[in-house]
Amino acid sequence: EPDVTIMSGLKDAVVAEGDDVTFRCQVSHENARDVEWKLQDVALQNNEMNEISVEGGKVHTLTLRKVTEQDIGTVTFRVGPHTSTA
């Protein structure tokens, strides 16, 4: 299996409370496995508050809906041994 690397990492974002924010990370290969999103070291699941998706096979996106002050912190995207944070 090819080693999947991060081609373009996360960018920091500042948003107002109650708004949505989207983070994007582009990887080198489509259908990457062993992918994980975290907020403040807590693994995120796809649910009504966190929308996790893949665009075009290589761009992994995380949208945090209606953010609150509790959502302040570091967002981490991990694929295999590679990570990107914002």
Side-chain angles (χ1 to χ4, degrees), residues 1 8 13-14 17-18 21 25 29 43 48 50 63-64 66 72 75:
E1 193 163 301
S8 120
V14 177
E17 195 165 21
V21 60
C25 202
H29 294 75
E48 66 278 352
N50 314 312
T63 300
L64 302 176
K66 298 183 177 67
I72 291 172
V75 172

Side-chain angles (χ1 to χ4, degrees), residues 16-49:
E17 195 165 21
D19 285 353
D20 296 350
V21 60
T22 299
F23 296 92
R24 286 184 177 79
C25 202
Q26 182 176 348
V27 298
S28 58
H29 294 75
E30 291 187 13
N31 305 319
R33 291 191 211 130
D34 195 21
V35 169
E36 182 178 50
W37 286 97
K38 287 183 174 181
L39 175 61
Q40 302 165 141
D41 282 334
V42 176
L44 298 176
Q45 304 299 321
N46 197 20
N47 57 35
E48 66 278 352
M49 297 308 292

